[in-house]
Amino acid sequence: MATTFDDTAIDNALAELAAGEKVWASTPLRRRRELLDDIHARTARFAADWVRAACTIKQLDTDSPLVGEEWMSGPLTLLQATTALSETLSALESGRSPLDGIELTSAPGDRIAVPVLPHGTYDKLLLSGFSGEVWLRPGVDAETARRKAGLAQLDPAATGGVGVVLGAGNIMSIAPLDTLYELYANNRVVALKLNPITDPLFTVFEMIFAPLIELGVLRILTGGAAEGGYLVRHSGVAHVHMTGSALTHDAIVWGTGPDALERRHDRRPLLNKPITSELGGVSPTIVVPGDWSEADLRYQAAHVATQRLHNGGYNCVAAQTVVLSADWPQKEQFLRELRAAMADAPQRPAYYPGSDKRVSDALASYPDATRLGPECGRLLVEDLPAADTALLNTEYFAPVLGIVELPATSGGEFIQRAVDFANDQLTGTLGANIIAHPTTIKRLGIAFERAVERLRYGTVAINAWTGLAFLTPRASWGAYPGHTLEDVQSGVGIVHNALLLDDVERTVVRGPFRPAPRSVLHAEWALSPKPPWFVDNTTAASTGRKLTEFYAANNPARLPGVFASALRG
């Protein structure tokens, strides 16, 4: 367990980083790439230690299928990120754009789309039927996109001082990924302060990031709110990046109490340096009415349950509001399947601080909510009003899911109303999901694509979960552009983005409506079985571990074992 850093230790760490900034400025692209490759190798070496520490934090039995979440959103994600960033550095090192060899396409509204998934043969095999692209802001042309890709690595000697990264306490790869983004996208050396929840990972992270620590460009710190406050306001810090809640963000920027309200009104932030952030919100899942089979209803109910219950519900992009058509003939059947999926999903401890209190708050607001699961710790709130109710503007960060029904007599009418509802009534813009039958998508045609364009969210997932974009290293991750310190919503800025793209607006990911083999039987050419991140996937732990071992060694001989485990799930 790490010891808490006092003010003197923080002062010393920042002084060391100030010296390290000069070292980073003189570090050539080739060496920067080699550091990524070294971190990749060390992540592989310490992956099992990482997962064991994560299981301790989350109180998971080591033989639980839920351990697969820790493999996939932990070391596997960092392995993929270091590989992708290394490829970007290799292109820049040879004088090429990271987008050379990538065919850019168009997206609605005078936008350029950069394909990020699949990237290479292994993605096509392991994520058959899934795709993703990053949409740039309207008006950015292909030549500009190629020229600006690389961000701060286009001029590596121009460093940006010391950046503080305040790590998250829920997904264990967030802090490492944000650290790499500060170093490579923004050219800032990093003081990473771990969330106290993740302190058991301190030693693992020190071992993985030893090359950067030895170079003097990274220091990993621990401590609570007092140490974090001292750190972010230190004169030796040029920039702050945080992952967490809007409440925490506002406490850092404006302070607390009556003085904070006055400062916000006068636009006089307490924090005297720039801050970027990835915050949460009330993420919607829009279920477009169609003619579904019983297997479709059951599978998509499990999909929605996963969007809420993955990691126990402690995800910034967890679905919190399901939007249904009140006039869908299959609505009641879908709700029956959803109740069952929520109730039958594996039970797990409520490890994240304050979870029980937030569930109690939701139950106080909605005493008629259905309590689900072996310990009745999950809430399903049906018949929500479509405006002015707590569940639409409070991120519960707990296993609480609400249902809103909108009147609509057709899929086209419904999806337009659903987009307006998501844009205008829900707090936050981090991610939105749409589930729609392929026949419905085809019938709606341009109206469907227009609905996707109109969603003001940093990630939009179609027949997939927005969490897939988090796991995709070349995708962007963050809120929809345009938030301010005064109204921060889901944050300011992006992370991940291993192609180092400028002018990013959003990521759009798509998946198959059905898993294999049903997908193929219905002429949906996707070979992926039930994804291993589904909460009811019985072989998720085995598949997650095997995927991690495959990406660690990049050895095709390991693929049959991955496929065998995935198919059994």
Side-chain angles (χ1 to χ4, degrees):
M1 179 69 68
T3 56
T4 298
F5 284 69
D6 60 19
D7 292 357
T8 300
I10 292 172
D11 292 341
N12 292 338
L14 293 176
E16 292 165 355
L17 287 169
E21 183 185 4
K22 299 180 177 64
V23 177
W24 191 238
S26 64
T27 302
L29 289 172
R30 177 179 179 179
R31 179 60 186 143
R32 295 180 183 210
R33 174 179 54 78
E34 291 170 347
L35 288 164
L36 289 167
D37 296 342
D38 197 357
I39 292 167
H40 182 280
R42 298 177 73 86
T43 301
R45 178 180 173 187
F46 297 112
D49 299 285
W50 179 330
V51 172
R52 275 193 295 271
C55 289
T56 298
I57 293 167
K58 299 185 180 183
Q59 304 166 43
L60 291 176
D61 292 335
T62 55
D63 58 353
S64 167
L66 296 173
V67 175
E69 295 179 358
E70 301 313 311
W71 284 103
M72 287 178 280
S73 65
L76 172 58
T77 301
L78 186 56
L79 287 167
Q80 293 177 304
T82 49
T83 296
L85 267 176
S86 179
E87 289 182 6
T88 291
L89 268 287
S90 180
L92 294 169
E93 182 187 345
S94 61
R96 297 179 290 111
S97 167
L99 293 181
D100 283 359
I102 296 177
E103 182 179 355
L104 307 185
T105 60
S106 61
D110 190 29
R111 292 172 173 88
I112 290 294
V114 181
V116 294
L117 182 73
H119 186 91
T121 301
Y122 294 140
D123 277 355
K124 293 176 183 177
L125 289 171
L126 294 168
L127 289 167
S128 174
F130 290 90
S131 64
E133 52 193 22
V134 173
W135 290 10
L136 305 185
R137 300 183 193 227
V140 176
D141 59 35
E143 189 280 328
T144 300
R146 294 185 190 279
R147 175 172 50 81
K148 295 173 74 173
L151 296 179
Q153 296 307 301
L154 295 171
D155 186 7
T159 52
V162 177
V164 165
V165 170
L166 300 179
N170 57 333
I171 295 294
M172 302 307 157
S173 61
I174 290 177
L177 294 174
D178 292 352
T179 295
L180 291 181
Y181 201 71
E182 275 291 271
L183 275 163
Y184 285 89
N186 299 314
N187 227 19
R188 286 189 280 263
V189 296
V190 177
L192 165 61
K193 196 198 84 65
L194 299 180
N195 186 300
I197 297 172
T198 66
D199 280 356
L201 276 162
F202 176 85
T203 301
V204 174
F205 287 162
E206 280 213 321
M207 292 188 295
I208 288 173
F209 286 106
L212 296 175
I213 295 170
E214 292 166 4
L215 193 64
V217 301
L218 172 64
R219 291 292 179 268
I220 303 178
L221 312 174
T222 61
E227 291 76 21
Y230 180 80
L231 176 63
V232 300
R233 292 181 172 84
H234 198 286
S235 61
V237 170
H239 183 275
V240 176
H241 177 78
M242 66 156 292
T243 299
S245 71
L247 288 175
T248 301
H249 171 276
D250 288 349
I252 291 171
V253 173
W254 306 106
T256 57
D259 290 346
L261 295 175
E262 184 177 329
R263 278 190 290 269
R264 188 198 293 261
H265 179 269
D266 297 337
R267 298 189 175 183
R268 294 183 293 105
L270 187 64
L271 188 72
N272 63 351
K273 61 202 66 175
I275 181 171
T276 52
S277 51
E278 187 265 272
L279 312 175
V282 178
S283 294
T285 295
I286 298 169
V287 181
V288 183
D291 185 11
W292 296 11
S293 70
E294 289 188 9
D296 295 336
L297 290 162
R298 191 161 42 252
Y299 176 78
Q300 293 299 347
H303 194 180
V304 174
T306 292
Q307 294 171 3
R308 175 67 266 183
L309 298 178
H310 181 278
N311 194 36
Y314 312 120
N315 286 332
C316 291
V317 78
Q320 187 168 299
T321 303
V322 179
V323 188
L324 297 176
S325 168
D327 302 310
W328 184 26
Q330 294 180 294
K331 178 192 68 177
E332 292 302 331
Q333 191 177 356
F334 176 77
L335 286 173
R336 284 196 298 273
E337 294 290 355
L338 180 57
R339 294 183 200 110
M342 291 276 289
D344 295 342
Q347 187 64 33
R348 60 184 299 159
Y351 77 90
Y352 203 89
S355 176
D356 291 342
K357 172 67 164 56
R358 291 188 293 276
V359 172
S360 296
D361 289 346
L363 195 57
S365 296
Y366 306 102
D368 294 331
T370 303
R371 305 188 68 168
L372 299 167
E375 298 179 9
C376 297
R378 301 163 186 162
L379 296 187
L380 185 65
V381 186
E382 300 184 47
D383 301 317
L384 278 171
D388 302 323
T389 187
L391 196 142
L392 307 185
N393 53 46
T394 302
E395 182 194 10
Y396 282 112
F397 211 69
V400 177
L401 183 65
I403 307 293
V404 170
E405 298 181 18
L406 302 178
T409 56
S410 71
E413 179 187 12
F414 168 76
I415 197 169
Q416 300 308 323
R417 287 187 176 181
V419 168
D420 289 340
F421 166 79
N423 285 342
D424 300 336
Q425 299 298 329
L426 302 181
T427 293
T429 65
L430 188 60
N433 312 284
I434 303 175
I435 297 174
H437 194 287
T439 301
T440 303
I441 294 174
K442 184 177 180 180
R443 185 178 70 248
L444 292 175
I446 191 65
F448 183 85
E449 297 305 322
R450 173 63 176 144
V452 173
E453 179 196 1
R454 288 203 306 116
L455 276 168
R456 297 192 296 269
Y457 285 82
T459 296
V460 177
I462 302 158
N463 290 335
W465 176 37
T466 47
L468 175 62
F470 180 93
L471 300 175
T472 300
R474 295 170 183 84
S476 59
W477 186 251
Y480 193 80
H483 299 317
T484 64
L485 292 183
E486 292 78 20
D487 183 23
V488 73
Q489 296 278 319
S490 289
V492 175
I494 61 167
V495 289
H496 302 191
N497 184 29
L499 290 169
L500 301 182
L501 301 171
D502 201 1
D503 301 312
V504 167
E505 182 186 70
R506 73 181 93 180
T507 287
V508 178
V509 294
R510 302 174 192 254
F513 182 72
R514 308 174 182 90
R518 284 199 304 117
S519 54
V520 177
L521 295 175
H522 290 83
E524 191 178 7
W525 305 115
L527 300 178
S528 294
K530 177 186 289 186
W533 55 83
F534 269 44
V535 291
D536 63 342
N537 190 306
T538 58
T539 63
S542 168
T543 303
R545 176 177 56 80
K546 289 178 182 295
L547 280 167
T548 303
E549 292 169 348
F550 167 73
Y551 280 102
N554 203 30
N555 181 357
R558 294 183 179 272
L559 284 174
V562 174
F563 293 140
S565 179
L567 289 168
R568 289 197 305 272

